[in-house]
Amino acid sequence: MMKRIHSGGEFEAKIGYCRAVVAGGFVHVAGTVGQGDDVVSQCRHALEVIGKALEEAGASFADAVRVTYMLPDRAEFEPCWPVLSEAFGANPPAATMIECGLIDPKYRIEIELTAVLPD
């Protein structure tokens, strides 16, 4: 069984993807950018969007097993650490940070996450 979760983001229809796919006992959340004037506010907003997708799938940040952070400037990653630490708390996933270009220069961080569905 597979379930597709849409958030209504502008790129979902343009590119042809959904926010998350639930399949094989996992929740695969697509790369998610957030709105805001700086990297920290964008990080918070991206986590809100991801959190809603996880909730719709029946999971939470506590179920995350892997997360990838993509930023055009690696120096902007450290200011996000407190926000990320708060989101994952005592259940940190395996993580990777990649410095790369994003779809639009206004975006400062993109977050992709995989979670396991709880029993």
Side-chain angles (χ1 to χ4, degrees):
M1 182 174 113
M2 192 176 336
K3 176 181 179 181
R4 298 184 197 297
I5 298 170
H6 298 273
S7 66
E10 68 174 300
F11 293 111
E12 289 181 30
K14 286 180 183 179
I15 298 171
Y17 75 96
C18 56
R19 177 62 42 219
V21 174
V22 181
F26 289 92
V27 183
H28 303 275
V29 182
T32 304
V33 296
Q35 301 301 314
D37 294 330
D38 61 29
V39 69
V40 174
S41 59
Q42 288 185 20
C43 180
R44 279 194 180 100
H45 186 253
L47 289 172
E48 288 175 24
V49 173
I50 292 168
K52 288 177 186 172
L54 289 171
E55 185 177 330
E56 188 172 336
S60 72
F61 285 108
D63 302 305
V65 294
R66 181 134 192 85
V67 63
T68 302
Y69 305 105
M70 293 154 276
L71 295 92
D73 182 355
R74 66 179 176 252
E76 292 187 320
F77 189 44
E78 189 171 352
C80 296
W81 294 355
V83 176
L84 300 170
S85 180
E86 180 182 327
F88 294 107
N91 303 293
T96 301
M97 192 284 291
I98 300 169
E99 185 177 38
C100 63
L102 299 180
I103 197 163
D104 187 309
K106 71 180 178 183
Y107 296 121
R108 307 311 306 156
I109 188 168
E110 183 169 344
I111 303 170
E112 177 184 75
L113 182 141
T114 303
V116 64
L117 285 173
D119 293 329

